[in-house]
Amino acid sequence: VNQILLLLLVLTVCAILYNKVHQVPSALKNETVDLESPEEMEEEIPVVICAAAGRMGAAVAAISSIYSNTEANVLFYIVGLKTTIPHIRKWIENSKLKEIKFKVVEFNPMVLKGKIRQDASRPELLQPLNFVRFYLPLLIQKHEKVIYLDDDVIVQGDIQELYDTKLAPGHAAAFSDDCDLPSTHEMIRSVGMQNTYMGFLDYRKQAIRDLGISPSTCSFNPGVIVANMTEWKHQRITKQLEKWMQRNVEENLYSSTLGGGVATSPMLIVFHGKYSSINPMWHIRHLGWSPDARYSEQFLQEAKLLHWNGRYKPWDYPSVHTDLWENWFIPDPSGKFKLTRPDS
């Protein structure tokens, strides 16, 4: 009997030791899974902004406004030409923006060779970085959803809201309609701006008429874009845009003398009837269209994003609502970029 009891005791001890030894790896495995669980990782919001020579202060102010108004995990993709990249990197690393997460991306203007028709009326619109938005999938590799912003914007809301914009199935991008906000209609009429396809495309040309798009169709502004990279690549959006750029070189289908921007017209053609809408308060524009026309201060305070599209930029003079822009401007540590003011 004693031998049987001793045998049972030995077997019990062995069983306990066996369980303990085999439970350790299981516990470690569970802990590892918890640590790497995607649910616990904060979503990264990629924001693309260009830093062009002569207007880097614009990009800095835009980045500053975004970073200051959100708790979201923002990753800035700052796109520049080879000659301008050292300047913008130094500016960020030697200012309070050194805390941001950012990647500097070089844009090769050779991709535009033979695709831009020279237009002397507004040569600044032909600068290579104006076309960065056409090539988002080539610049941004690992993200499904991307925000693109022109440099002449200020963000007053939480960028997470803009990122959460819903894109309908099959849509590669979301834009703001130029007819979407009644508050801006008076401004548009007062300064003679165009907000239909007639203002951007030359309907005297057969290729434009063959599109079957009514000239009274409301246009949209591609200065603020929420893009789905999977759809963009699947629909070969970049190739479509390049096709219309090349056709314009050959046939002069649109001009900067019309809608004031040669980067807008190809997008109006390619995305016609195939885009989602951005909340109108996330793109209050035309602040740079006239040195005199102004919005009410209350309206601007409620806006989530302000856009100085047009000739009259808030870092130059004359311009309007410069105080709202200057709130976010960070002086250039190198002293190269200076604001133009009446007393300067």
Side-chain angles (χ1 to χ4, degrees), residues 47-52 77-81 84 105-109 111-112 116 125-140 146-151 222 225 227 229 232 237-238 241-242 245 262-264 267:
V47 177
V48 179
I49 295 180
C50 294
Y77 284 86
I78 303 170
V79 186
L81 302 180
T84 61
V105 182
E106 180 184 342
F107 182 69
N108 186 353
V111 301
L112 301 172
I116 301 178
L125 297 175
L126 303 178
Q127 295 302 314
L129 295 182
N130 280 339
F131 301 91
V132 162
R133 72 198 87 189
F134 290 11
Y135 297 94
L136 292 177
L138 300 182
L139 301 169
I140 313 300
V146 172
I147 293 173
Y148 167 88
L149 299 177
D150 276 353
D151 61 0
I225 307 172
M229 293 293 92
W232 193 291
I237 296 295
T238 297
L241 292 168
E242 287 183 327
M245 291 170 74
V262 293
T264 298
M267 300 197 87

Side-chain angles (χ1 to χ4, degrees), residues 220-284:
F220 59 80
N221 187 298
V224 177
I225 307 172
V226 181
N228 180 307
M229 293 293 92
T230 300
E231 281 295 336
W232 193 291
K233 288 181 280 191
H234 176 69
Q235 298 179 32
R236 298 170 62 84
I237 296 295
T238 297
K239 288 294 184 185
Q240 292 188 58
L241 292 168
E242 287 183 327
K243 182 190 80 170
W244 284 102
M245 291 170 74
Q246 288 170 330
R247 289 199 66 175
N248 183 56
V249 170
E250 298 162 4
E251 304 174 49
N252 195 19
L253 302 176
Y254 49 84
S255 166
S256 61
T257 57
L258 291 171
V262 293
T264 298
S265 299
M267 300 197 87
L268 291 178
I269 295 172
V270 171
F271 284 100
H272 174 252
K274 295 184 292 186
Y275 66 91
S276 299
S277 295
I278 290 172
N279 181 331
M281 297 306 288
W282 267 100
H283 195 177
I284 302 303

Side-chain angles (χ1 to χ4, degrees), residues 201-335:
L201 306 178
D202 188 348
Y203 276 82
R204 295 171 300 179
K205 302 296 173 66
Q206 188 63 44
I208 298 300
R209 293 198 300 270
D210 287 345
L211 291 169
I213 302 173
S214 169
S216 62
T217 301
C218 185
S219 55
F220 59 80
N221 187 298
V224 177
I225 307 172
V226 181
N228 180 307
M229 293 293 92
T230 300
E231 281 295 336
W232 193 291
K233 288 181 280 191
H234 176 69
Q235 298 179 32
R236 298 170 62 84
I237 296 295
T238 297
K239 288 294 184 185
Q240 292 188 58
L241 292 168
E242 287 183 327
K243 182 190 80 170
W244 284 102
M245 291 170 74
Q246 288 170 330
R247 289 199 66 175
N248 183 56
V249 170
E250 298 162 4
E251 304 174 49
N252 195 19
L253 302 176
Y254 49 84
S255 166
S256 61
T257 57
L258 291 171
V262 293
T264 298
S265 299
M267 300 197 87
L268 291 178
I269 295 172
V270 171
F271 284 100
H272 174 252
K274 295 184 292 186
Y275 66 91
S276 299
S277 295
I278 290 172
N279 181 331
M281 297 306 288
W282 267 100
H283 195 177
I284 302 303
R285 46 207 178 275
H286 313 315
L287 278 75
W289 207 263
S290 165
D292 304 309
R294 302 174 67 93
Y295 289 110
S296 74
E297 292 301 323
Q298 180 181 352
F299 176 67
L300 292 179
Q301 291 297 331
E302 294 172 355
K304 304 287 189 179
L305 182 149
L306 305 176
H307 187 185
W308 278 263
N309 59 310
R311 294 174 184 263
Y312 302 97
K313 304 301 186 184
W315 55 90
D316 282 334
Y317 179 84
S319 55
V320 296
H321 304 298
T322 54
D323 55 323
L324 295 175
W325 183 87
E326 238 177 288
N327 283 340
W328 307 108
F329 175 67
I330 298 171
D332 183 0
S334 73

Side-chain angles (χ1 to χ4, degrees), residues 151-165:
D151 61 0
D152 51 355
V153 306
I154 287 296
V155 174
Q156 301 186 137
D158 186 343
I159 199 71
Q160 180 75 54
E161 289 182 34
L162 181 60
Y163 185 74
D164 290 340
T165 298

